[in-house]
Each structure stands twice: as structure tokens, then as C-alpha cells.
Amino acid sequence: MGCLISVLVFVALLYYGVNIGEVYFRYYRLLDEMQSQAALASALDNGTIVRRIEAAVQEIGVPEDASRNLRVRRTLSPREIDIESAYSETVNLPLFNHTFTFHPKSTQPL
């Protein structure tokens, strides 16, 4: 009986971990794409950067709020580019409902 309870707890933790882990995995994929585009920013215009990140948002499966809240800013002093966004994802699991809010941001010198 004790072994059955241990297996049940392990499966429940695995189920919750996978579902919550997917949310963070999507966040880090978007952050990686933002950092890649920031690294290439000296050769690209802002419109191209925005289009590429919007395409990544759709491919990754991040909520569309990430595209609507996307901001690309270039500053002269210091010469750098800031790419940032904000979005939230809700996870609905048995006995667990939570909204995760994310603010991915990448800054690179130009």
C-alpha cells in the first residue's frame, strides 16, 4: 500500500511539473529569440525584428499578448537596443489554478 501511494504522488508531481514546465519552456524560447534578434540588431531594422519575433510567438505558442505588448527601442547614449514584451499564461490543473505573468527583456549594445 505504501508503494502505491509513493507511485501516485510521483505521478501527480510529474503531471503538475510537466504542465507548469511547459509555460516556462515557452518563456525561455521566446527570451532566446529576443536575444538572438537583439544580437543581430545592428544589421536589421525594427520592423524586421518585430516581424521575426511575432512569427516566433506564433510558432512557440505564446499568447498573442506577447506580440501586442512587444516594444523595440534603440538608444543613442549608450548605443543599445532594448526588446521587451509582457504577457501572462493561466494554468488550470486539478487543485491548482494560477496565472503566470512574464516580462521577457533583452538588451544588447549596438
Side-chain angles (χ1 to χ4, degrees):
M1 186 69 164
C3 183
L4 180 63
I5 292 174
S6 298
V7 169
L8 193 60
V9 168
F10 175 74
V11 169
L13 289 174
L14 187 65
Y15 176 74
Y16 278 73
V18 166
N19 284 292
I20 294 170
E22 286 179 0
V23 173
Y24 282 97
F25 184 68
R26 286 191 292 270
Y27 165 76
Y28 284 114
R29 284 186 60 193
L30 177 60
L31 183 60
D32 183 55
E33 181 64 27
M34 292 170 76
Q35 290 171 342
S36 296
Q37 295 305 315
L40 299 171
S42 61
L44 300 173
D45 63 288
N46 289 1
T48 302
I49 293 170
V50 168
R51 282 191 302 277
R52 287 181 175 184
I53 294 175
E54 286 175 345
V57 164
Q58 289 180 345
E59 179 186 327
I60 295 168
V62 174
E64 289 297 319
D65 288 348
S67 292
R68 285 192 291 273
N69 297 327
L70 184 62
R71 288 182 182 76
V72 178
R73 282 190 304 267
R74 295 176 191 251
T75 58
L76 295 176
S77 181
R79 287 186 42 88
E80 63 184 16
I81 185 165
D82 291 325
I83 303 173
E84 62 183 309
S85 184
Y87 69 96
S88 54
E89 282 195 62
T90 302
V91 176
N92 295 314
L93 298 170
L95 305 174
F96 182 80
N97 295 319
H98 187 73
T99 300
F100 295 91
T101 304
F102 297 102
H103 302 279
K105 180 178 181 177
S106 178
T107 302
Q108 291 284 328
L110 291 174

